[in-house]
Amino acid sequence: FAGQQETYLNIKGEKSLLEAVQKCWASLYGARAIYYRAKQGFDDRSVNIAVVVQQLVNSEKAGVMFTSHPVTGEPLSIIEGSWGLGESVVSGSVSPDKYVFDQRTGKVIDRLIAQKKIEIISDGEHGTKTIEIEKERQEIPVLSDDEVARLATYGKVAETHYGIPQDVEWGIVGDTIYILQSRPITTIRSSTTTIKTESAEGKILVKGQGASPGVATGRVVVIRDVKDTGSVSEGDILVTKMTNPDMVPAMQKVAAIVTDEGGMTCHAAIVSRELGTPAVVGTRNATSVLKPGQLVTVDGEKGFIYEGALEKPVQAQVPASTIAASPLITATSVKVNVSIPAAAARAAATGA
């Protein structure tokens, strides 16, 4: 049920707390949640919801970290971050900075400093607000190499503790790092897909970050609002500013997904990897460059969108995930939310 119910941040006082809890309960009967349960065969009379109340960390910068590569399982810590609360990174409303830390050498081997236009912060005594980041701060690196190394160390502690690569949400206030959440990565494959270089011979229309490997060709459908997802057909190339949980039914139909915003850890990227659908995120301009009905080819590994239909490269057969379950040495039972029922078997293999 990942993403099906509501979350409320920066709630203070008994009255506001009770109202927020009631809204969380009510979200169990929102249109999105009812549709999801109906599609999956859940009885409305048997469902229930528990609301977790915890202290908010008013992060100055925050993001998500994969303690190993989320597709290949290589010992590379992939860290994405932006200014303010981590919601902007998770939702894909901002294109975050990306840092790759090689655990074998103990060094940052790659970094992508994005233009971070907005941040989500606490709004006084109640809720959050989205504000524009001043221009002089938009392209400043969010993390220093020392902070990247410290985060990677915390990530390895979590991975060692649970015995499996982790998807970790983090926040930083001053010099203090807070680990906010840790859950298993469910998209690691036992071998990578081999893509021949023939795909690089076409005319590149748009570039972004390769978020889910694979190559697909189809007609562009540009979605500017979730209410327009009814126009999506099987085999289309879904192009949007950013995805959200309401778009999952449409995302299950398409041949590939392309977004203007987001990084490897955002909703579009994670769902695409769960589905095995090629995806390119953080292009900045796909919704304006690509036209409805245009035939394009998406390379989800290289992060390129090509004009027309290119000859599909031969791809190696990708076996199912072979992650071994590991006994958890914690008093808390760790569970994993899966928004795509088809990914349930892979999630179950993690032992979570």
Side-chain angles (χ1 to χ4, degrees):
F1 295 94
Q4 297 300 315
Q5 271 63 66
E6 297 296 337
T7 297
Y8 297 93
L9 303 177
N10 191 32
I11 304 300
K12 298 182 179 180
E14 183 176 321
K15 181 180 178 182
S16 295
L17 172 61
L18 293 177
E19 287 178 354
V21 170
Q22 289 173 339
K23 288 179 180 178
C24 288
W25 288 341
S27 71
L28 194 63
Y29 297 98
R32 177 176 72 202
I34 291 173
Y35 170 82
Y36 179 88
R37 291 197 298 271
K39 292 289 287 183
Q40 306 310 322
F42 288 99
D43 182 359
D44 275 324
R45 293 168 296 182
S46 65
V47 296
N48 218 323
I49 183 172
V51 180
V52 177
V53 180
Q54 63 187 76
Q55 183 177 349
L56 175 69
V57 175
N58 274 302
S59 304
E60 297 165 0
K61 43 193 172 184
V64 179
M65 164 174 54
F66 292 134
T67 63
S68 294
H69 193 285
V71 176
T72 66
E74 292 176 89
L76 302 173
S77 298
I78 298 178
I79 301 170
E80 292 189 332
S82 192
W83 304 115
L85 299 174
E87 174 63 20
S88 62
V89 177
V90 175
S91 67
S93 57
V94 70
S95 294
D97 288 356
K98 174 185 173 184
Y99 306 85
V100 180
F101 183 87
D102 191 329
Q103 299 160 17
R104 295 160 294 195
T105 63
K107 295 181 179 179
V108 177
I109 60 171
D110 190 23
R111 61 174 58 80
L112 171 65
I113 307 305
Q115 185 179 23
K116 303 164 287 292
K117 296 182 179 180
I118 61 101
E119 65 178 322
I120 297 175
I121 62 173
S122 293
D123 186 8
E125 295 295 307
H126 186 84
T128 61
K129 60 183 177 181
T130 301
I131 62 172
E132 289 189 9
I133 296 174
E134 54 272 26
K135 288 192 178 296
E136 58 269 22
R137 200 159 56 101
Q138 288 183 3
E139 298 188 22
I140 293 176
V142 168
L143 297 173
S144 65
D145 283 2
D146 177 65
E147 288 173 321
V148 171
R150 289 170 62 202
L151 279 167
T153 299
Y154 280 118
K156 288 307 295 181
V157 170
E159 182 173 310
T160 300
H161 179 75
Y162 291 114
I164 194 170
Q166 296 289 297
D167 172 346
V168 177
E169 293 185 18
W170 56 269
I172 295 178
V173 180
D175 292 329
T176 304
I177 293 175
Y178 294 89
I179 300 301
L180 309 175
Q181 175 177 290
S182 186
R183 59 189 175 194
I185 297 174
T186 60
T187 55
I188 295 176
R189 299 170 178 174
S190 57
S191 66
T192 57
T193 300
T194 303
I195 300 178
K196 291 187 177 181
T197 55
E198 284 83 354
S199 62
E201 295 180 358
K203 178 183 177 183
I204 298 174
L205 300 175
V206 176
K207 295 181 180 180
Q209 283 194 64
S212 180
V215 177
T217 298
R219 299 281 177 183
V220 169
V221 57
V222 179
I223 300 299
R224 303 192 185 278
D225 191 280
V226 68
K227 69 177 184 294
D228 300 325
T229 54
S231 62
V232 174
S233 300
E234 293 283 345
D236 281 345
I237 305 297
L238 173 61
V239 179
T240 187
K241 182 178 180 181
M242 58 184 175
T243 67
N244 64 51
D246 287 329
M247 292 185 179
V248 169
M251 295 170 72
Q252 291 177 288
K253 295 181 183 178
V254 299
I257 296 165
V258 181
T259 69
D260 285 349
E261 304 292 348
M264 281 193 71
T265 59
C266 72
H267 177 266
I270 292 173
V271 171
S272 296
R273 288 192 293 270
E274 286 185 354
L275 291 170
T277 300
V280 177
V281 299
T283 64
R284 299 190 181 184
N285 60 0
T287 55
S288 58
V289 172
L290 303 179
K291 306 304 179 186
Q294 183 178 9
L295 186 67
V296 299
T297 298
V298 176
D299 188 327
E301 181 173 12
K302 297 177 181 175
F304 296 160
I305 294 88
Y306 301 98
E307 183 176 44
L310 303 184
E311 183 178 347
K312 282 193 177 183
V314 177
Q315 298 188 7
Q317 184 68 32
V318 179
S321 173
T322 56
I323 300 173
S326 176
L328 303 182
I329 48 173
T330 176
T332 304
S333 177
V334 179
K335 302 297 181 184
V336 56
N337 281 333
V338 179
S339 56
I340 308 300
R346 185 185 302 154
T350 68

